[in-house]
Amino acid sequence: MNILIVEDEQKVAAFIKKGLEVTGYVVEVAFDGQIGLRMGQNGSYDLIILDVNLPIINGFEICKQLRESNIKTPILMLTALGTTKDKVLGFDLGADDYLVKPFEFEELTARVKALIKRAKAAPLLQTTLKVVDLELNSDSKIVTRNGIPIELTAKEFLLLEYLMRNKGKVLSRADIAEKIWDISFDTGTNVIDLYIFYLRKKIDKDFTPKLIHTQVGMGYVLKEK
Ligand code: CA
């Protein structure tokens, strides 16, 4: 398990490093934001412990840039500023957890363990999905069928991604409503049927085989046959 610490206070960095090494982690330290960002971007860490107040580039900016460059390494932010505003900002920028200085070392190791465990339990989702000649990339948001780009709205995209990630599995309207619209299913609305209709028009109408199938009385399934 490799951990990167980005912390300019040498004493604090040394204290964390030593403690984590005793626990069995391999630890590297960056003492300023610029080096920290560069090291974080090579992406070979299981966790990044990131101070907020850093020379050159601050921790919030590093967090933001790492997430923008699609680095998904869990980030634990450290700061002396324990205000709610900072916490919210950190989470908004993609931090996974937050620890206010000064902290007990036991608290830090508990967070570290929890974050690494959580990351291992939820393996990174595949970004390129393919069913027959239908392809979807969840990073670039590009969808093609038989190599032809297909324009989808944001909701259509989410719906298609959900169907593709669950290829072969019948999804009820209630499943879809909860997952895509974040609402519990209301029998008075046909919004899901309508969106399935839109999707079919775009991804199935001019192509074979048809991929979206209706399972009468049960829901929808995306599959080859
Ligand atoms: Ca600092």
Side-chain angles (χ1 to χ4, degrees), residues 7-9 51-54 101:
E7 166 66 89
D8 59 315
E9 287 162 74
D51 188 30
V52 169
N53 295 311
L54 290 164
K101 288 178 180 174

Side-chain angles (χ1 to χ4, degrees), residues 129-146:
L129 306 172
K130 190 170 181 197
V131 178
V132 194
D133 57 354
L134 175 67
E135 287 189 46
L136 176 147
N137 186 302
S138 58
D139 283 339
S140 65
K141 311 291 181 207
I142 290 172
V143 174
T144 60
R145 177 113 201 229
N146 193 24

